[in-house]
Amino acid sequence: MQRQLSVKHLLGIKNLTAEDIELIFETAEEFKDVINRPIKKVPSLRDITIANVFFENSTRTKLSFELAEKRLSADVINFSSSGSSVKKGETLLDTVNNILAMKVDMVVMRHSSPGAPHFLSRHIEANIVNAGDGTHEHPTQALLDTFSIREKLGDIAGKKVVIVGDILHSRVALSNIFALQKMGAEVMVCGPITLLPKYISSLGVKVELDVRKALAWCDVANVLRIQLERQQIKYFPSLREYSLYYGINKKMLDGLDKEITVLHPGPINRGVELSSDVADSDQAIILDQVENGVAIRMAVLYLLASVSS
Ligand code: NCD
């Protein structure tokens, strides 16, 4: 029997099993071969229509999903809330039901409210992929991050990964914690105490306030952006001060007795969380993450489409 995902929607990493993640990775490896061939397209989703519904800004994620859908030969429609009837007061459910009335099979959604895709999944039949819900989860980002670490280091189990930065507001942080732990990594979070949620140690992660100690401990550092757009109050005095204490530069990495791997989900604020000499170094696998993102999203869409049939 063909292996299948245990879920119909990809709402978060929390409700995936390690077997689901393994299946996504193996499928992504096959699709990575496909997108590196001269003919990069397969007919796998030829009769499927996918709506990318984005209520929040996006560059990488939106392009990556759209490319993944096109490489799978799906029909694609794009909706973005700016310039739409959302501005005229339409509800989320009405907006999505109107899109679905056009016979759409899958919805990829980004929304600023945590839980928005979970809410939709209780009201509509189409498969839903969460492309980031507020400060909550960003499952395909965590899958592509974990896949990229595995590709670079050969295995995830037993590896030490630190997530540095705005743990409180970043959906990448929570999804990464779940994905890495499910695949057997040891996870640490590091940032100013004001940007670490109070519940964080209940997730079984180590907590470190000193970035130098965190770097000395880890094999991999996943460095996150300060989510200024989600901060209603001041969590630290200034970006300059943040960068002084938590910004990672080449000198710090060269001072370690090992070579660690550096990830960043983008967009990078050069000179704040990472200096350019780190972002552009061979230790950083930031562009591999982007390449792998397309293969991972192809795998997720392909596998979800076969769950519903
Ligand atoms: C992340 C996001 O949107 O959560 N970016 C992304 O998806 N590539 C991280 C961020 O915005 O900092």
Side-chain angles (χ1 to χ4, degrees), residues 60-61 110 138 141 171-172 225 227 265-267:
R60 260 156 302 270
T61 306
R110 172 167 284 196
H138 191 352
Q141 182 69 45
R171 50 198 173 207
V172 179
R225 184 177 65 88
Q227 309 270 304

Side-chain angles (χ1 to χ4, degrees), residues 12-237:
I13 302 290
K14 192 177 180 183
N15 49 356
L16 289 187
T17 63
E19 291 70 38
D20 288 328
I21 298 176
E22 187 57 45
L23 177 58
I24 294 170
F25 284 2
E26 285 172 26
T27 311
E29 270 160 16
E30 288 172 30
F31 284 132
K32 191 165 175 182
D33 288 343
V34 169
I35 57 181
N36 278 295
R37 294 200 307 234
I39 296 167
K40 301 176 175 58
K41 229 170 151 158
V42 283
S44 315
L45 295 190
R46 209 175 41 202
D47 297 322
I48 302 284
T49 304
I50 305 179
N52 299 317
V53 182
F54 278 66
F55 292 91
E56 229 192 31
N57 296 346
S58 173
T59 308
R60 260 156 302 270
T61 306
K62 195 165 173 212
L63 287 176
S64 181
F65 268 110
E66 195 173 338
L67 205 54
E69 291 151 4
K70 289 181 169 161
R71 300 268 192 255
L72 291 166
S73 307
D75 290 323
V76 180
I77 54 171
N78 287 305
F79 166 90
S80 106
S81 61
S82 55
S84 76
S85 290
V86 173
K87 299 276 178 266
K88 301 179 189 165
E90 190 169 63
T91 67
L92 171 63
L93 193 54
D94 279 340
T95 303
V96 174
N97 269 330
N98 274 277
I99 295 171
L100 292 178
M102 301 177 206
K103 305 291 172 237
V104 166
D105 304 290
M106 302 178 97
V107 176
V108 174
M109 186 173 82
R110 172 167 284 196
H111 200 281
S112 56
S113 298
H118 305 68
F119 164 78
L120 266 195
S121 71
R122 290 193 287 275
H123 292 92
I124 65 171
E125 266 308 305
N127 309 85
I128 298 171
V129 181
N130 179 4
D133 60 328
T135 55
H136 183 216
E137 280 225 47
H138 191 352
T140 55
Q141 182 69 45
L143 289 167
L144 76 88
D145 290 347
T146 311
F147 180 84
S148 303
I149 296 171
R150 178 160 103 158
E151 189 179 65
K152 171 89 188 200
L153 301 183
D155 201 1
I156 299 289
K159 295 293 180 302
K160 294 176 175 169
V161 183
V162 63
I163 306 171
V164 183
D166 189 353
I167 313 297
L168 185 62
H169 300 99
S170 169
R171 50 198 173 207
V172 179
L174 191 59
S175 288
N176 257 272
I177 291 171
F178 291 141
L180 290 163
Q181 288 181 337
K182 282 177 201 261
M183 299 312 277
E186 255 188 277
V187 185
M188 174 186 275
V189 294
C190 175
I193 190 97
T194 48
L195 291 178
L196 303 178
K198 290 202 179 73
Y199 62 79
I200 198 73
S201 33
S202 70
L203 296 179
V205 297
K206 290 182 190 303
V207 177
E208 175 59 68
L209 302 181
D210 182 339
V211 76
R212 287 168 199 274
K213 288 189 186 155
L215 294 176
W217 172 84
C218 74
D219 303 305
V220 178
N222 195 350
V223 186
L224 307 179
R225 184 177 65 88
I226 296 291
Q227 309 270 304
L228 282 179
E229 73 277 23
R230 298 188 207 285
Q231 300 179 7
Q232 262 84 51
I233 59 166
K234 267 185 150 229
Y235 290 83
F236 50 87

